[in-house]
Amino acid sequence: MTPLRSNGPATTLRSLRRWRCLHTAAQEAEPPRWKNPSSSSSSSNGSKKEAPAPPPAEPAIAILTPLSAKNKLLLKDVVSAIENRRYPSVFQHAQKIFSQPIATAVTTNGGLQGASPPETPSSTPTPTPTPDTETYSLLIEACAHFPGCLMQELAFALFAEMKSRNLRPTTLIYHNLLRLLSTSPDYLKRALILREMKDRWFEVTPLGWGWVIRGLLKDHQFELALETFERKLLPLLAPTTTNVNTSQIQQEVWDDLITSLAEKGEVEEAFRLAKMAHDSLSTTLARKTWYSLLTFAARGMYRDATLWAWRHVYVSSIFPPDDGLLEEILLVASRYAIPSLATDVLRVMARRGITFQHHHYAALVEMYLDPSVNEPRKAFAVVRIMMRALGGAGAKSLVKAIVGCVKGNNRVSGLESALRKDLDMLLGRSGSGSASGAGESSTSSSNSTASSKPTKLALNAMAIPITAITSLHARQGHLKQAWDCYNLLAESGITPTADW
């Protein structure tokens, strides 16, 4: 078998032979041929009936290389194999076409079915088809459509061979090489292609710059990728309409850039680009992008990025967050005192049947005791809910949570006042208001009497805030206030906890 050209070194033939091992590793075999179910019975009966051909399928890939009428006839099988992603057949057909006489190649591919090739004198050798620029462009485009960068060696072998034959590469060939290098870490080849395009005054399209940016992200050159994006693609946010795949490629550039920056730790920059992409793109970002942004924003305690990403993920049901991600988002809600965010997270966890542990209740207590929220009675309601669910297992963690929130805020007196109101409400004393506890429904009527006794568990739960407030008074040197708070235990009939 001869190489793709009639004269010169057989560079492409060696590359094609090496490619046979590559396509086996990529598992890109040609799909099985369609068979008629009645073919076996027909053969057994001796009748030779040909099965009807299946209906033609829509091409999976749109060929961008413009072909002349002659090449359309000659490379018909090659184009069909590319359109249907039968990559092994692409180069098998190419080798077959360019290793036989012109008349035979045209007859096989072109439609002179049953016609014999024209006779040639025996003294004159039969010429073979010679690949031109369109042929090399078509084969390099097939390499660019191949998944990954396994075809990089063959594509650049074809590129070097066409230049050795004094064929000038077109801008489409350069862009197909950039597309191939978008999944390759070979930055030297990418720089070589960009330099040749600059020397030949070829302009890189927005599609090409998108492939360059994706290649830079593959090399972990995040700063250079972001600089290239802001300099080349940021002024062109609106997707162009000249190519069907332009908007999709641009969305992939957004996804890769946002995901890479978030994973690197540049969450604020990724958040800025995500908002920009959400406002400029007609379609939403990929699920992987939303997951990366929400995960690394919650892990790094970024308030605005977490709130924005969670609102879109939760409202639009983009993906179901895992349990670990919900825990991190709950910590963000507790750190920045966002009750609405904590409510959404707890609602999702309750739907999954997750049993709340003491650290969940501690996060809620810290959130309600934050100065920006300042809802101590809701925090005490959370304490009573925890005591009903878990008993006294998490009492020590809640005492520490209350002490850690109130210490240094000079709000001990307000916390003690809220505590006394809750005790009056539980003991049915007159003049007590109804507590609007989170998750706890308290029914109060005007006919309630002092004889209505609270449950022992609810009263014992109040030992936790009493313990914390007594400790705060003692640390501040207010021993009289500490003793008065301690006496609330005896007055209310509360048994001190083991953490006292």
Side-chain angles (χ1 to χ4, degrees):
M1 185 180 295
T2 59
L4 293 184
R5 57 191 179 86
S6 55
N7 299 317
T11 307
T12 307
L13 179 59
R14 291 194 298 270
S15 300
L16 290 173
R17 288 174 178 172
R18 287 194 296 268
W19 180 81
R20 293 177 180 176
C21 299
L22 295 178
H23 90 268
T24 303
Q27 298 294 326
E28 290 290 334
E30 187 174 355
R33 296 180 180 178
W34 183 82
K35 294 183 179 180
N36 188 11
S38 61
S39 59
S40 58
S41 61
S42 300
S43 59
S44 60
N45 297 331
S47 60
K48 297 181 179 180
K49 294 183 179 180
E50 295 183 358
E58 292 292 333
I61 296 176
I63 302 298
L64 301 180
T65 300
L67 298 176
S68 62
K70 174 186 174 182
N71 284 331
K72 285 182 180 179
L73 190 65
L74 186 65
L75 302 174
K76 178 181 177 182
D77 291 340
V78 177
V79 172
S80 176
I82 297 175
E83 289 179 342
N84 294 282
R85 299 182 185 270
R86 298 196 301 266
Y87 297 106
S89 301
V90 172
F91 301 98
Q92 291 173 4
H93 288 306
Q95 283 183 313
K96 182 179 179 180
I97 292 172
F98 294 102
S99 62
Q100 59 186 345
I102 294 178
T104 306
V106 173
T107 302
T108 304
N109 295 276
L112 297 179
Q113 299 295 337
S116 59
E119 296 182 359
T120 55
S122 58
S123 58
T124 304
T126 305
T128 58
T130 303
D132 53 4
T133 304
E134 294 181 358
T135 304
Y136 284 108
S137 177
L138 184 64
L139 295 178
I140 292 176
E141 184 177 357
C143 296
H145 283 296
F146 193 85
C149 57
L150 293 176
M151 303 297 289
Q152 178 180 337
E153 183 181 359
L154 176 57
F156 277 92
L158 292 168
F159 182 65
E161 181 177 324
M162 71 173 297
K163 290 199 296 185
S164 67
R165 299 191 59 202
N166 296 325
L167 296 175
R168 296 175 66 86
T170 62
T171 180
L172 184 59
I173 293 178
Y174 284 117
H175 279 82
N176 281 325
L177 291 175
L178 289 178
R179 178 174 185 170
L180 178 64
L181 292 171
S182 65
T183 56
S184 170
D186 196 343
Y187 62 93
L188 296 178
K189 290 277 193 345
R190 188 183 306 110
L192 175 65
I193 296 300
L194 292 175
R195 184 168 62 250
E196 287 191 14
M197 294 184 70
K198 183 178 180 181
D199 294 341
R200 296 193 57 189
W201 294 87
F202 282 156
E203 182 181 0
V204 182
T205 63
L207 212 59
W209 283 120
W211 291 323
V212 172
I213 292 171
R214 296 179 66 187
L216 292 173
L217 294 174
K218 193 78 173 179
D219 302 338
H220 295 277
Q221 301 184 35
F222 303 106
E223 295 181 358
L224 184 57
L226 185 59
E227 179 184 355
T228 305
F229 173 80
E230 294 180 346
R231 183 163 44 91
K232 299 296 183 180
L233 292 185
L234 202 56
L236 306 172
L237 283 179
T240 59
T241 57
T242 56
N243 194 327
V244 179
N245 297 326
T246 302
S247 60
Q248 179 65 23
I249 295 296
Q250 286 187 348
Q251 181 177 346
E252 291 178 0
V253 174
W254 286 106
D255 292 333
D256 291 348
L257 193 59
I258 294 171
T259 302
S260 301
L261 290 175
E263 292 177 353
K264 188 178 181 293
E266 300 292 338
V267 178
E268 294 180 352
E269 195 68 29
F271 172 50
R272 181 180 69 87
L273 292 177
K275 291 184 65 177
M276 193 183 305
H278 188 268
D279 296 337
S280 62
L281 290 178
S282 58
T283 56
T284 184
L285 298 174
R287 293 182 179 180
K288 178 184 177 182
T289 307
W290 285 111
Y291 181 81
S292 299
L293 179 61
L294 182 58
T295 299
F296 290 98
R299 190 173 300 173
M301 292 293 174
Y302 291 92
R303 178 183 181 275
D304 295 337
T306 304
L307 275 174
W308 186 81
W310 171 259
R311 184 172 66 251
H312 289 283
V313 169
Y314 179 71
V315 174
S316 303
S317 299
I318 297 177
F319 67 90
D322 55 82
D323 296 346
L325 181 56
L326 291 176
E327 298 277 354
E328 294 175 348
I329 298 174
L330 183 60
L331 291 179
V332 174
S334 174
R335 170 73 65 86
Y336 296 101
I338 311 174
S340 59
L341 179 60
T343 303
D344 292 341
V345 173
L346 292 176
R347 185 178 292 115
V348 175
M349 296 175 71
R351 288 174 182 173
R352 296 183 182 179
I354 298 176
T355 303
F356 295 155
Q357 302 298 327
H358 59 84
H359 62 277
H360 298 127
Y361 297 104
L364 291 177
V365 169
E366 292 176 358
M367 179 185 65
Y368 285 121
L369 291 181
D370 190 88
S372 60
V373 178
N374 196 19
E375 294 284 351
R377 299 190 68 181
K378 290 185 178 181
F380 299 154
V382 172
V383 172
R384 292 192 292 272
I385 293 174
M386 190 208 72
M387 289 294 292
R388 285 201 302 264
L390 303 177
K396 186 175 182 179
S397 63
L398 286 185
V399 170
K400 291 182 179 180
I402 296 174
V403 172
C405 290
V406 183
K407 181 177 62 176
N409 293 328
N410 297 323
R411 296 186 297 112
V412 184
S413 58
L415 191 64
E416 184 176 355
S417 176
L419 173 65
R420 292 181 181 274
K421 290 181 180 179
D422 261 19
L423 285 175
D424 291 341
M425 183 269 296
L426 290 174
L427 295 174
R429 297 170 182 172
S430 60
S432 62
S434 59
S436 56
E440 181 187 44
S441 61
S442 59
T443 59
S444 62
S445 63
S446 59
N447 297 327
S448 59
T449 59
S451 61
S452 58
K453 297 182 179 179
T455 61
K456 189 67 176 177
L457 188 61
L459 277 177
N460 288 339
M462 299 305 293
I464 295 176
I466 291 175
T467 304
I469 295 173
T470 303
S471 175
L472 288 170
H473 281 308
R475 291 186 180 187
Q476 295 178 1
H478 303 155
L479 299 182
K480 184 178 182 303
Q481 288 85 345
W483 182 255
D484 292 340
C485 187
Y486 171 74
N487 287 333
L488 290 176
L489 294 172
E491 294 175 1
S492 305
I494 300 174
T495 305
T497 63
D499 301 300
W500 179 252

